[in-house]
Amino acid sequence: MARCVALVVAAGRGTRLGGDVPKQYRELDGRPILRHSLAAFAAHPAVARVRAVIHPDDRDLYDKAAAGLSLLDPVPGGAARQDSVRLGLESLAGDPPDWVLIHDAARPFLSNALIDRVLSALERHPGAIPALPVQDTLKKAAGGQVQATLDRTGLYRAQTPQGFRYNDILAAHRAAQGQELTDDAAVAEKAGLAVALVGGDDINVKITTPSDFERAGSRLAQARQVRTASGFDTHRFKPGGDHLMLLGVRIPHEQGLDGYSDADVALHALTDALLGTIAAGDIGLHFPPGDPRWKGAPSERFLIHAANLIAAKGGRISHIDVTIICEKPKIGPHRARMIAKLCEILGLGSDQVSVKATTTEGLGFTGRKEGIAAQAMATIEMPALSP
Ligand code: MG
């Protein structure tokens, strides 16, 4: 298989979108625009390496955007896009790939299928670009008046990633230095390289204007995936003690709960529900009982760990609902503190946190006051694209 490197061009200063950072670092669905395409290439099995070309002033922004992804170090770009691409290509010369995919950071919606189409055409052609036929009628105008209707036959809108044989496009860029060409296919054409068209993708838009940005944001928001999961736990009362912990709140009680940590049965059920939303196993997998680090540990730590795992996947907690099942202690007097505590730990509003209590009418182990049970439900939203 040919070895392919993706070069993501992100050295522009574009602030037409507003905001105080260049547009490729503006956040879309909670992550910088640049990260979406870096992550897509990094996850593609046929792309061996990924390198971004950045503005030297943006190193901190880049490091944040690329955190956790396995990428080549970025290289500094030049004054114009064409210079940046050439410098990016030159940076690969020491270990030249067979193919290179050149992509604009402002197109965050590239799909695996689109990358596949470009790579597949490179098997047979020196260059390949995704493109869409022009559908609208084209008018030539001046001073707000139509002067002519142009023939749109054979006209296409070019997108990225544009793929080339590496040695060919490097030579073409060296030869085209100083000319102002708007994409790499134009550089290839100047050098006489044949460039094939493959089907572009309507969703692979270039984010340029504030309305592009808004449309992209609402598209991603609509595509977020809602997930729910449940958790359940039980702890028995132990003889003696003067308090127990429930949802992080200390409640005076003549019996404590038995357990390796602080035995906060309700936080354990909630932690399991959160872990369930991302299919990350259960609390025992992450915090094995018997590990001296968790002896007497506040169960808040387990909850924070689960919330961090969700955040690392780009997920957001929408709602949690906990039911505590016991005859004693009475939960009502402590409910407001419990809700406030969960809001504080998870950064949620009080309308996103539900705490309920019930008895079992004297039936079963909770009815006999042998212990407390808790069940929880968590609902989260996951991003449409991988983080
Ligand atoms: Mg437990």
Side-chain angles (χ1 to χ4, degrees), residues 232-235 258-259 261 263-265 268-269 283:
F232 178 83
D233 197 24
T234 301
H235 281 251
D258 197 16
S261 62
D264 190 329
V265 58
H268 295 179
I283 196 169

Side-chain angles (χ1 to χ4, degrees), residues 136-193:
D136 298 326
T137 299
L138 294 175
K139 301 291 183 190
K140 187 172 170 59
Q145 295 288 315
V146 171
Q147 296 183 315
T149 298
L150 304 181
D151 182 6
R152 69 182 176 203
T153 313
L155 292 184
Y156 286 82
R157 294 182 286 133
Q159 301 186 328
T160 69
Q162 302 192 343
F164 305 92
R165 295 180 186 153
Y166 172 75
N167 290 329
D168 289 350
I169 195 68
L170 175 60
H173 262 281
R174 284 175 175 165
Q177 238 182 109
Q179 303 177 29
E180 281 176 34
L181 303 170
T182 53
D183 75 348
D184 304 292
V187 173
E189 290 158 46
K190 285 269 178 196
L193 299 173

Side-chain angles (χ1 to χ4, degrees), residues 3 18 29 33 47 74 77 89 121 150 173 242 279 303 310 313 323 333 378:
R3 211 169 67 97
D29 204 27
I33 290 175
V47 176
L89 292 169
L150 304 181
H173 262 281
D242 59 359
L303 186 69
I310 291 169
K313 287 180 176 287
T323 304

Side-chain angles (χ1 to χ4, degrees), residues 15 38 42 53 82 87 118 139 154 197 211 223 294 298 331 345 352:
T15 47
L38 292 177
V53 183
Q82 195 179 326
L87 291 167
V118 175
K139 301 291 183 190
L197 291 187
S211 76
W294 322 130
I331 302 302
I345 298 172
Q352 295 171 287

Side-chain angles (χ1 to χ4, degrees), residues 58 189 206 209 237 244 247 250 254 283 359 386:
D58 296 342
E189 290 158 46
K206 184 167 184 174
T209 65
F237 286 119
L244 47 79
L247 293 177
R250 185 186 166 101
E254 63 271 18
I283 196 169
T359 70
S386 62

